Amino acid sequence: MTDTPNILEELNDRSREVFRRVVEGYLANGDPVGSRTLTRDFSEKVSAATIRNVMQDLEFMGLLDSPHVSAGRIPTQRGLRMFVDGLMEVGLPDSADREKIDATRGAGERDVAGLLDRVGSALSGVTQGASLVLAPKHEAPIKHIEFVSLGHDRALGVLVLADGHVENRLFTPPPGQTPSSMREAANFLNALIEGKTLGEVQSVIQVEIKKRRREIDSLAAELVQQGLAVWDGDDDRNQRLIVRGRSNLLGAAGDGEDLDRIRTLFDDLERKRDIAEFLELTEEGHGVRIFIGSENKLFSLSGSSLVVSPYMNADRKIIGAVGVIGPTRLNYGRIVPIVDYTAQLVGKLLTDKS
């Protein structure tokens, strides 16, 4: 929130302490915090009536809300953002949490997918939320590509990489393809792409098609474009996103509106393409980012929060992200350092493997 510093400056010490204690109490148990609760261990001796007056002022400023008549207060989304940006204390993850995350280290195995799956499971277990892990794109040089017809409207693309990794993708070929046009398209590509990564191929292939138009017929040209597209489309993003621990969210939900919000969140999590795109926004900046409630359109209906951090390779290039999603009353002060630690560990492990 851009006006967070100004609002904080308007609060005196008493208002700031009331606000902080309401937020911390709400994040701890999810219940509204009342004035009598605050007077028990307040830093100065004040009456419940005085505390109520302060809470009313904070409500007028849009930082607190009263869910029921004569009930305690809970922070608004605006209040949570102000707390996270200006008052939250973030330390290091405790030793028990670090040990559980560190246990995901394998004994030198090269299975990146298995490693990231273990990381996701450990992260959801430690935080008791749902974890999201966006795996890096496979960037090894290409060794060979082949197209196999499976029918008039189905084809299989087979991509063999120099490190032995093989990817198979089903796709719908352009109409009118023949076995000869498929061979021609594969031969055309193999003459150009050997030794290049997929990212490098995408930037040069269109230029080569135009330059060598007479050497390749129109059917094969269409297949070249369609065949490469399957490695840069929705399926790739879906396969890169690992979601673990959704059952944790059910355990944290009560009845009624809370359960409905969790069901909405489950629907959001099924839309992996959208979430992958959202997590890739971490490429805009380094470090942990916190999105609360409707601050992002993807989770606005479920009222959920996302704590996410990118991880980098040896060249300090962002190649993926790890995050935790849950209700807005996440224990941000605890989860932020856990997500940050996990992201740094994943980056180190992948760098070591490469």
Side-chain angles (χ1 to χ4, degrees):
M1 249 182 76
T2 57
D3 60 345
T4 292
N6 293 333
I7 295 178
L8 285 174
E9 290 174 5
E10 293 178 16
L11 301 182
N12 57 31
D13 292 342
R14 179 182 295 172
S15 297
R16 191 180 299 229
E17 182 175 358
V18 169
F19 174 70
R20 180 178 57 80
R21 288 178 179 270
V22 169
V23 176
E24 289 176 345
Y26 171 74
L27 294 181
N29 54 44
D31 295 327
V33 178
S35 55
R36 293 190 180 278
T37 301
L38 295 180
T39 57
R40 292 176 192 149
D41 55 356
F42 206 73
S43 60
E44 58 177 311
K45 188 174 182 180
V46 293
S47 67
T50 299
I51 296 294
R52 282 196 296 272
N53 289 334
V54 174
M55 295 168 85
Q56 287 174 357
D57 291 339
L58 293 170
E59 187 173 354
F60 179 76
M61 298 173 69
L63 302 179
L64 299 182
D65 190 20
S66 179
H68 305 290
V69 178
S70 72
R73 299 317 199 271
I74 63 173
T76 61
Q77 180 178 305
R78 188 185 194 202
L80 284 174
R81 171 51 64 188
M82 192 185 83
F83 175 81
V84 165
D85 289 347
L87 296 177
M88 182 176 71
E89 296 180 0
V90 177
L92 297 173
D94 64 37
S95 57
D97 291 337
R98 287 200 306 271
E99 287 176 7
K100 292 175 183 177
I101 299 298
D102 287 341
T104 59
R105 298 171 183 262
E109 91 286 6
R110 301 190 62 82
D111 181 13
V112 172
L115 166 66
L116 295 180
D117 186 75
R118 291 197 304 275
V119 168
S121 297
L123 189 57
S124 67
V126 167
T127 62
Q128 290 301 294
S131 66
L132 308 176
V133 180
L134 188 65
K137 291 182 179 179
H138 208 97
E139 289 293 339
I142 299 170
K143 183 177 181 181
H144 181 75
I145 192 170
E146 186 174 350
F147 298 119
V148 181
S149 177
L150 302 178
H152 71 281
D153 62 348
R154 294 181 71 204
L156 180 69
V158 182
L159 187 71
V160 181
L161 303 179
D163 62 358
H165 183 78
V166 178
E167 292 188 14
N168 301 310
R169 298 287 171 84
L170 287 171
F171 68 101
T172 302
Q177 292 297 321
T178 64
S180 62
S181 66
M182 288 198 165
R183 284 194 300 273
E184 184 178 359
N187 291 338
F188 175 79
L189 282 170
N190 286 322
L192 293 174
I193 67 179
E194 184 175 0
K196 296 183 176 68
T197 66
L198 272 173
E200 294 168 339
V201 167
Q202 297 290 355
S203 62
V204 302
I205 200 66
Q206 297 297 334
V207 175
E208 289 296 326
I209 288 178
K210 290 179 181 179
K211 285 170 58 177
R212 302 169 61 174
R213 188 175 298 163
R214 294 178 181 177
E215 300 176 32
I216 182 170
D217 67 32
S218 59
L219 282 179
E222 287 184 61
L223 183 60
V224 167
Q225 295 172 327
Q226 186 69 26
L228 285 178
V230 303
W231 276 283
D232 194 38
D234 298 344
D235 288 343
D236 177 55
R237 297 183 181 215
N238 288 352
Q239 291 175 6
R240 291 175 59 205
L241 186 69
I242 303 168
V243 182
R244 293 290 177 266
R246 279 180 277 197
S247 59
N248 291 335
L249 301 179
L250 281 176
D255 298 323
E257 292 184 6
D258 284 345
L259 191 56
D260 288 340
R261 282 197 293 268
I262 294 301
R263 287 173 178 151
T264 300
L265 176 58
F266 281 5
D267 291 339
D268 290 339
L269 292 174
E270 291 302 324
R271 293 157 51 210
K272 290 184 175 182
R273 178 181 61 84
D274 294 333
I275 296 176
E277 289 176 352
F278 181 71
L279 288 182
E280 285 173 350
L281 291 176
T282 57
E283 296 182 9
E284 295 178 358
H286 302 294
V288 181
R289 300 183 70 189
I290 302 172
F291 299 89
I292 301 174
S294 61
E295 288 179 352
N296 66 81
K297 63 179 181 179
L298 182 57
F299 305 127
S300 59
L301 294 179
S302 62
S304 303
S305 289
L306 174 71
V307 180
V308 61
S309 178
Y311 59 85
M312 293 172 279
N313 61 13
D315 298 323
R316 304 299 292 172
K317 177 185 176 183
I318 293 174
I319 56 174
V322 299
V324 171
I325 188 170
T328 54
R329 61 179 185 86
L330 284 173
N331 186 342
Y332 299 97
R334 174 173 176 265
I335 290 177
V336 165
I338 292 174
V339 169
D340 184 44
Y341 182 81
T342 304
Q344 293 185 45
L345 178 66
V346 170
K348 182 179 184 306
L349 292 177
L350 294 184
T351 297
D352 290 345
K353 285 181 180 297
S354 64

